[in-house]
Amino acid sequence: MKKKLTPEIISTYYETKFPIDKFMSFIGLSNFKNREFGFVVGKNRFVRNISFKNTEKLLEFMVKNSVKDAYVGAVFDTPPSKEHPIQKLKWNYREFIYDIDIDEYDLVRTCGCQGAQYCKECWSLIQDAAVFIDQTMREDFGFNDIIWIFSGRRGVHGWVRDPIIQKFDKNERVAILDYLTFIHDEKRSQSIDEIPNEAKPLRNRIYALTAKSYLEKVTSKKLHEFGISVNKAKDIIKQVQNSDDFDHTKYNILIPNDSAVRKKLSSEIVLRRYPRIDRKVTMDTNRVSRMPYSVHGKTGQIAIVIKDIKNFYPDSAPTVWEALM
Ligand SMILES: [Zn+2]
C-alpha cells in the first residue's frame, strides 16, 4: 500500500533529518540571501521569488509550511521577493544544470513503460545519458565539479558547479549544448559518421558508450533488419558484450563495411540511446531546480546525491519514511 505523505511527516523531516549543512555546501554560503527559492505549499500552490536572510529562516519556512516540493534557483543582485521578482532583477550566477527525465524517451522506449514509469531496462537510458554527459563535460570541456542528484521520481539532474561556469551567460550555455547536441535534428535521423571533425571526441564517445550500450542489448534479429547476416549479428553482439574497452576502432572493425548498413545502424543507435537533454532547463538561468536532499511531493523519495550513476536505480534512494525511522 502506498503511504500517505502528510504535512506532519514532511515538517518532521525538515526539522530533524534534512542535512542543511550538506545542502549549503552544495550551493555555497556566499550571496545566500540573494538566492531564489521556490516551493509547492498548501494545496499544490507553487510559490517562487522567495529569498531568506539566513539558513535558519529557510529551514523555518520549510518546516512551518510543510513544503511538498522545494526548489533552488539562481543568485540575483538583490534578494528576490514578491516586490522584487526575478524578472526585474539582474541575474548574478547559476550552476549549469542538466535535466534528464525518463519520459523524454517515450517515443523510443521498447519495454512498454510510459510517462513516469520505469524499469531496469529503460532506466539504463538515464544511466547512459548521465555517464555520457559527465564524461563530455570533464574530458572535452575540462570541468571537474559535477554532481548527479536523483530528481526524486523519474530522472536525474547533473549539476556542473565549477566556478567558471556559474557566470556563463545564455549564449555560452547554448554553445556547450550545441556541441552536445550535434545530433539533435528533430527526427534524430543523423548518423554518427556525419558529425563534423571538430567534435571528434564526442563522435568517438558515441561509439564507445552509446553504440556499445545499444549493441550489447540488441537482438540479432533486429541487427539483421539493417542488412547484417544473422550469424554476423550474433558474433557482433557477443564480441561487444565481452569487450571491456570497446571504442570507435573496434566498432569500425566489427560492423560490415557497407555504407548503407552503417548509416542505417548508426542513425538507429543515436535515435534509441543518445542522451535526450532538456535544453531549456540548461539554458535558462531563471529556472528553479529541485533542492538536493529535499522530499519529492509525489513519491516521498529524497533527492539524494548519487554516488555511482552507473549503478544507481531509483529504488535505492531512501524515502522520507525510511529517513525518519
Ligand atoms: Zn521500462
Side-chain angles (χ1 to χ4, degrees), residues 109 111-113 118-119 121-122:
R109 284 199 271 178
C111 51
C113 298
Y118 57 83
C119 66
E121 188 185 323
C122 58

PDB file of all heavy atoms in Angstrom, residues 109 111-113 118-119 121-122, ligand 1:
ATOM      1  N   ARG A 109      11.184   4.089 -26.164  1.00  0.00           N
ATOM      2  CA  ARG A 109      11.264   3.004 -25.187  1.00  0.00           C
ATOM      3  C   ARG A 109      10.569   1.766 -25.752  1.00  0.00           C
ATOM      4  O   ARG A 109       9.476   1.871 -26.299  1.00  0.00           O
ATOM      5  CB  ARG A 109      10.601   3.430 -23.869  1.00  0.00           C
ATOM      6  CG  ARG A 109      11.487   4.380 -23.098  1.00  0.00           C
ATOM      7  CD  ARG A 109      11.078   4.426 -21.647  1.00  0.00           C
ATOM      8  NE  ARG A 109      10.067   5.444 -21.386  1.00  0.00           N
ATOM      9  CZ  ARG A 109       9.527   5.656 -20.189  1.00  0.00           C
ATOM     10  NH1 ARG A 109       9.883   4.886 -19.170  1.00  0.00           N
ATOM     11  NH2 ARG A 109       8.636   6.604 -20.003  1.00  0.00           N
ATOM     12  N   CYS A 111      10.277  -1.139 -23.802  1.00  0.00           N
ATOM     13  CA  CYS A 111       9.892  -2.029 -22.703  1.00  0.00           C
ATOM     14  C   CYS A 111       8.409  -1.937 -22.368  1.00  0.00           C
ATOM     15  O   CYS A 111       7.885  -2.776 -21.640  1.00  0.00           O
ATOM     16  CB  CYS A 111      10.711  -1.678 -21.466  1.00  0.00           C
ATOM     17  SG  CYS A 111      10.647   0.081 -21.101  1.00  0.00           S
ATOM     18  N   GLY A 112       7.749  -0.892 -22.871  1.00  0.00           N
ATOM     19  CA  GLY A 112       6.330  -0.729 -22.569  1.00  0.00           C
ATOM     20  C   GLY A 112       6.042   0.337 -21.527  1.00  0.00           C
ATOM     21  O   GLY A 112       4.897   0.717 -21.334  1.00  0.00           O
ATOM     22  N   CYS A 113       7.068   0.814 -20.835  1.00  0.00           N
ATOM     23  CA  CYS A 113       6.865   1.884 -19.851  1.00  0.00           C
ATOM     24  C   CYS A 113       6.533   3.193 -20.576  1.00  0.00           C
ATOM     25  O   CYS A 113       7.019   3.436 -21.666  1.00  0.00           O
ATOM     26  CB  CYS A 113       8.129   2.113 -19.025  1.00  0.00           C
ATOM     27  SG  CYS A 113       8.655   0.717 -18.044  1.00  0.00           S
ATOM     28  N   TYR A 118       9.098   3.402 -15.022  1.00  0.00           N
ATOM     29  CA  TYR A 118      10.415   2.981 -15.468  1.00  0.00           C
ATOM     30  C   TYR A 118      10.672   1.549 -15.011  1.00  0.00           C
ATOM     31  O   TYR A 118      10.006   1.047 -14.104  1.00  0.00           O
ATOM     32  CB  TYR A 118      11.518   3.902 -14.924  1.00  0.00           C
ATOM     33  CG  TYR A 118      11.527   4.002 -13.419  1.00  0.00           C
ATOM     34  CD1 TYR A 118      12.162   3.037 -12.644  1.00  0.00           C
ATOM     35  CD2 TYR A 118      10.874   5.045 -12.771  1.00  0.00           C
ATOM     36  CE1 TYR A 118      12.148   3.115 -11.264  1.00  0.00           C
ATOM     37  CE2 TYR A 118      10.846   5.121 -11.390  1.00  0.00           C
ATOM     38  CZ  TYR A 118      11.491   4.158 -10.642  1.00  0.00           C
ATOM     39  OH  TYR A 118      11.455   4.227  -9.283  1.00  0.00           O
ATOM     40  N   CYS A 119      11.601   0.897 -15.685  1.00  0.00           N
ATOM     41  CA  CYS A 119      12.015  -0.432 -15.282  1.00  0.00           C
ATOM     42  C   CYS A 119      13.532  -0.481 -15.474  1.00  0.00           C
ATOM     43  O   CYS A 119      14.127   0.471 -15.976  1.00  0.00           O
ATOM     44  CB  CYS A 119      11.321  -1.505 -16.118  1.00  0.00           C
ATOM     45  SG  CYS A 119      11.790  -1.487 -17.857  1.00  0.00           S
ATOM     46  N   GLU A 121      15.249  -1.937 -17.597  1.00  0.00           N
ATOM     47  CA  GLU A 121      15.646  -1.817 -18.996  1.00  0.00           C
ATOM     48  C   GLU A 121      15.703  -0.352 -19.454  1.00  0.00           C
ATOM     49  O   GLU A 121      16.716   0.108 -19.977  1.00  0.00           O
ATOM     50  CB  GLU A 121      14.678  -2.612 -19.874  1.00  0.00           C
ATOM     51  CG  GLU A 121      15.139  -2.706 -21.317  1.00  0.00           C
ATOM     52  CD  GLU A 121      14.112  -3.399 -22.217  1.00  0.00           C
ATOM     53  OE1 GLU A 121      13.457  -4.356 -21.752  1.00  0.00           O
ATOM     54  OE2 GLU A 121      13.959  -2.955 -23.363  1.00  0.00           O
ATOM     55  N   CYS A 122      14.612   0.403 -19.215  1.00  0.00           N
ATOM     56  CA  CYS A 122      14.631   1.781 -19.731  1.00  0.00           C
ATOM     57  C   CYS A 122      15.424   2.714 -18.816  1.00  0.00           C
ATOM     58  O   CYS A 122      15.949   3.725 -19.272  1.00  0.00           O
ATOM     59  CB  CYS A 122      13.233   2.313 -20.015  1.00  0.00           C
ATOM     60  SG  CYS A 122      12.091   2.346 -18.648  1.00  0.00           S
TER      61      CYS A 122
HETATM   62 ZN    ZN B   1      10.821   0.402 -18.871  1.00  0.00          ZN
END
